[in-house]
């Protein structure tokens, strides 16, 4: 990962990023050419430009831009750099430097481990240098954020041939050891003893074992007397089961169906690294969904962890089956808030695309407002959908307590109402099916797994009241 460091003074022969406005007076040490070009740039309508001189590139950025605009420019700068550029120094107001640095750092991510010429493809940049006006605390927070997001992206991009449920649990355990969290991994026999029927049913078609991972971060003097529980969908690969998906544009990217698990594991990891004063528990049910062996079938009736019976109408609605067991398990902690994250429905993607996550639930409006503000600040936006009880009628079964599929419309909401049934605490459901995976490169979010939800939830927890 690209390093972030502070500089005492600008070094000669370095690539510069100058954030300025019309009132900015640049130091003469930057050279007459850069000073003259900056004056010309400030008179133009351009927001971003660059000058190629004898010492390499100097980038010019107008500082009167929103945080997200600066992050995107940070990604543009990364795209412009040649492989021989090893360091870049930022000049400007501290908050502007941080926004540019965030865009640069997040866009420096690469998943190239399976290329035989990976060394040739590797980004040349090694260090981004910020001025001493930028606090070490803010720099460390940005470094930890990138570590968590990159970890999540790596997991989402990893093919199932290298990341089954057991390997996901092992990766989460490594996070716990690093960040001082307690991690307990339940294996199949323990899951059977708990009678987690949803997780076991989805796993019946697979030769790989399911796991249920419990992560706890409990700081001294936490501000919350009851924990916040984060639940992440960990379907490491989804064929759809016997309700088999088509391959093009669907099954071929279903290694990403554990993005909710990556999000929640990454969030609690980041909270622990940053030593937030919030007691958090993360629950990660994990399995793949295959059509083999004794795979569960449409028409089956499954008894869940809490005793609820569910009629299976579609085995491709498997995420809600494993989440339901985990959500019911959360009740034992008597949490003050439960949030889940899942790449749950195509309906959410079709409704709002990749630009935001769909959220809904029964938590207090104030909590939803806090979550929305937190998302807007980091540009991981949310759109709240209605959660009326009318929708719950669509998941009533004629032969069991519930069915795992609603009608043809509002699928993201009926899925949320299904999950709500299993939670006794205030609840928020996040459907991240849109932003969790990008088929094409998009600014600092990259291509493939994005790590969506981590920056949003960390910012929410950091300011949690």
């Amino acid at each position: 990962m690209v390093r972030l460091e502070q500089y005492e003074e600008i070094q000669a022969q370095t690539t510069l990023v100058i954030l300025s406005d019309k009132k900015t007076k640049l130091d003469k040490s930057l050279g007459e050419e850069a000073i003259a070009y900056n004056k010309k740039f400030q008179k133009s309508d351009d927001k971003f430009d660059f000058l190629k001189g004898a010492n390499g590139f100097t980038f010019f950025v107008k500082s009167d831009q929103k945080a997200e605009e600066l992050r995107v420019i940070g990604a543009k700068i990364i795209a412009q750099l040649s492989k021989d550029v090893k360091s870049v120094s930022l000049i400007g107001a501290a908050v502007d430097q941080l926004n540019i640095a965030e865009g640069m750092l997040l866009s420096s991510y690469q998943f190239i481990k399976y290329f035989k010429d990976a060394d040739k493809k590797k980004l040349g940049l090694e260090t981004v240098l910020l001025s001493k006006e930028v606090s070490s605390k803010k720099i460390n927070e940005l470094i930890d954020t990138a570590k968590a997001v990159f970890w999540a992206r790596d997991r989402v991009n990893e093919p199932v041939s290298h990341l089954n449920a057991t390997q996901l649990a092992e990766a989460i355990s490594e996070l716990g050891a690093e960040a001082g969290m307690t991690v307990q991994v339940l294996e199949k026999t323990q899951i059977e003893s708990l009678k987690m029927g949803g997780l076991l049913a989805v796993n019946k078609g697979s030769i790989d074992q399911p796991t249920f991972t419990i992560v706890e971060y409990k700081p001294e003097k936490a501000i919350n007397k009851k924990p916040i529980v984060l639940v992440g969908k960990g379907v490491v690969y989804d064929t759809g089961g016997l309700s088999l998906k088509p391959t093009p544009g669907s099954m071929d990217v279903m290694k990403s169906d554990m993005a909710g698990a990556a999000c929640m594991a990454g969030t609690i990891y980041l909270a622990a690294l940053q030593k937030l004063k919030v007691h958090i528990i993360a629950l990660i049910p994990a399995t793949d969904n295959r059509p083999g062996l004794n795979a569960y079938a449409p028409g089956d009736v499954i008894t869940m962890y809490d005793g609820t019976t569910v009629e299976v109408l579609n085995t491709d609605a498997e995420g809600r089956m494993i989440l339901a067991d985990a959500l019911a398990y959360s009740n034992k902690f008597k949490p003050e808030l439960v949030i889940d994250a899942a790449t749950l429905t195509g309906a959410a993607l079709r409704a709002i695309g990749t630009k935001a996550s769909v959220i809904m639930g029964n938590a207090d409006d104030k909590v939803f407002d806090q979550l929305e503000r937190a998302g807007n600040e980091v540009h991981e936006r949310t759109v709240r959908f209605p959660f009326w009880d009318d929708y719950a009628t669509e998941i009533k079964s004629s032969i069991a307590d519930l069915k795992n599929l609603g009608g043809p419309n509002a699928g993201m909401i009926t899925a949320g109402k299904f999950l709500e049934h299993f939670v006794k605490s205030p609840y928020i459901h996040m459907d991240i099916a849109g932003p969790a995976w990008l088929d094409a490169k998009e600014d600092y979010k990259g291509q493939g797994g994005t790590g969506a939800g981590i920056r949003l939830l960390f910012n929410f927890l950091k300011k949690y009241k």
Side-chain angles (χ1 to χ4, degrees):
M1 191 173 81
V2 173
R3 299 188 302 271
L4 294 186
E5 298 177 0
Q6 289 175 307
Y7 64 79
E8 290 292 331
E9 58 182 34
I10 295 292
Q11 301 296 311
Q13 307 294 319
T14 186
T15 298
L16 298 178
V17 178
I18 300 173
L19 293 123
S20 64
D21 58 28
K22 293 180 180 178
K23 297 180 181 179
T24 301
K25 292 184 178 180
L26 299 181
D27 191 279
K28 292 181 180 179
S29 64
L30 297 177
E32 293 182 4
E33 186 180 26
I35 293 172
Y37 198 91
N38 184 62
K39 289 179 180 178
K40 178 183 176 183
F41 169 66
Q42 287 298 334
K43 293 177 182 178
S44 73
D45 294 329
D46 296 328
K47 297 289 187 178
F48 168 62
D49 202 354
F50 59 88
L51 170 68
K52 188 173 184 180
N55 296 330
F57 281 104
T58 299
F59 296 94
F60 299 88
V61 182
K62 286 183 178 169
S63 57
D64 59 342
Q65 299 185 65
K66 296 178 181 178
E68 180 63 9
E69 292 174 318
L70 294 177
R71 294 185 196 107
V72 172
I73 288 175
K76 291 179 179 178
I77 292 170
I78 289 291
Q80 292 272 8
L81 296 178
S82 60
K83 283 187 69 67
D84 61 344
V85 174
K86 301 301 181 185
S87 68
V88 174
S89 299
L90 308 186
I91 299 172
V95 65
D96 296 332
Q97 289 186 57
L98 278 168
N99 287 325
I100 286 281
E102 183 174 20
M104 293 180 69
L105 189 55
L106 291 175
S107 62
S108 71
Y109 172 83
Q110 295 177 290
F111 190 77
I112 55 176
K113 61 186 288 187
Y114 294 115
F115 289 102
K116 65 180 181 180
D117 60 345
D119 289 342
K120 294 180 180 179
K121 295 179 182 294
K122 188 176 180 181
L123 185 71
L125 183 67
E126 296 174 353
T127 312
V128 175
L129 298 163
L130 299 91
S131 71
K132 59 185 178 182
E133 284 75 27
V134 182
S135 71
S136 297
K137 180 180 179 181
K138 289 291 186 181
I139 290 175
N140 289 334
E141 181 180 312
L142 183 49
I143 291 170
D144 287 345
T145 298
K147 284 176 64 178
V149 170
F150 287 7
W151 180 90
R153 289 180 182 179
D154 279 345
R155 303 288 85 71
V156 174
N157 288 329
E158 197 71 64
V160 68
S161 56
H162 292 73
L163 189 74
N164 60 24
T166 299
Q167 290 165 319
L168 175 61
E170 290 171 350
I172 295 171
S173 296
E174 290 173 2
L175 293 185
E178 178 189 344
M181 302 182 291
T182 302
V183 181
Q184 181 183 12
V185 179
L186 305 186
E187 297 180 346
K188 187 174 182 179
T189 54
Q190 295 163 298
I191 295 167
E192 288 173 333
S193 68
L194 289 171
K195 297 181 179 179
M196 288 188 163
L199 178 54
L200 291 167
V202 177
N203 182 251
K204 284 175 70 176
S206 174
I207 62 171
D208 292 328
Q209 303 290 299
T211 58
F212 183 66
T213 304
I214 304 161
V215 189
E216 184 170 22
Y217 166 63
K218 189 175 183 179
E220 293 183 4
K221 298 180 181 179
I223 62 172
N224 51 327
K225 294 182 179 179
K226 298 179 179 180
I228 293 174
V229 174
L230 307 177
V231 181
K233 172 187 171 184
V235 177
V236 292
Y237 190 76
D238 182 20
T239 67
L242 290 177
S243 304
L244 198 66
K245 293 175 180 288
T247 296
S250 182
M251 198 197 301
D252 52 354
V253 296
M254 279 300 104
K255 63 182 182 180
S256 66
D257 213 20
M258 40 62 66
C263 168
M264 292 317 200
T267 297
I268 194 171
Y269 170 59
L270 178 52
L273 288 177
Q274 282 290 296
K275 296 180 169 40
L276 296 190
K277 292 296 184 180
V278 185
H279 181 195
I280 309 168
I281 295 171
L283 305 177
I284 311 295
T287 180
D288 53 333
N289 183 27
R290 303 268 190 170
L293 301 177
N294 195 28
Y296 82 132
D300 281 355
V301 174
I302 307 300
T303 301
M304 310 295 282
Y305 169 74
D306 70 348
T308 298
T309 55
V310 175
E311 178 189 11
V312 176
L313 295 184
N314 191 319
T315 64
D316 196 22
E318 86 299 329
R320 66 200 69 183
M321 298 294 288
I322 73 170
L323 283 172
D325 278 343
L327 290 168
Y329 190 85
S330 77
N331 297 327
K332 67 178 291 185
F333 302 109
K334 298 180 180 179
E336 67 179 45
L337 178 65
V338 176
I339 306 175
D340 73 39
T343 50
L344 203 65
T345 66
L349 173 61
R350 289 189 294 272
I352 60 172
T354 62
K355 304 301 182 185
S357 295
V358 166
I359 60 170
M360 63 194 79
N362 57 31
D364 192 279
D365 288 344
K366 292 180 180 178
V367 180
F368 274 98
D369 290 343
Q370 290 177 35
L371 189 65
E372 181 180 5
R373 283 197 300 272
N376 288 339
E377 287 171 2
V378 300
H379 206 72
E380 289 196 350
R381 296 165 294 181
T382 60
V383 179
R384 186 178 179 184
F385 274 50
F387 210 54
W388 305 314
D389 286 339
D390 309 50
Y391 291 105
T393 62
E394 297 188 32
I395 55 169
K396 289 183 177 179
S397 167
S398 61
I399 65 167
D401 298 322
L402 300 174
K403 56 184 180 179
N404 79 332
L405 200 65
N409 301 316
M412 75 295 283
I413 303 176
T414 54
K417 295 303 288 186
F418 176 90
L419 294 174
E420 181 194 30
H421 170 88
F422 298 90
V423 191
K424 293 181 179 178
S425 299
Y427 171 59
I428 294 176
H429 167 55
M430 290 177 51
D431 195 329
I432 61 172
W437 177 271
L438 296 174
D439 289 327
K441 184 175 176 60
E442 184 178 317
D443 51 66
Y444 61 85
K445 293 181 281 294
Q447 181 180 2
T450 63
I454 293 175
R455 293 165 60 244
L456 157 64
L457 287 170
F458 173 72
N459 198 30
F460 168 75
L461 293 168
K462 184 171 67 171
K463 301 176 180 179
Y464 183 71
K465 297 178 181 179

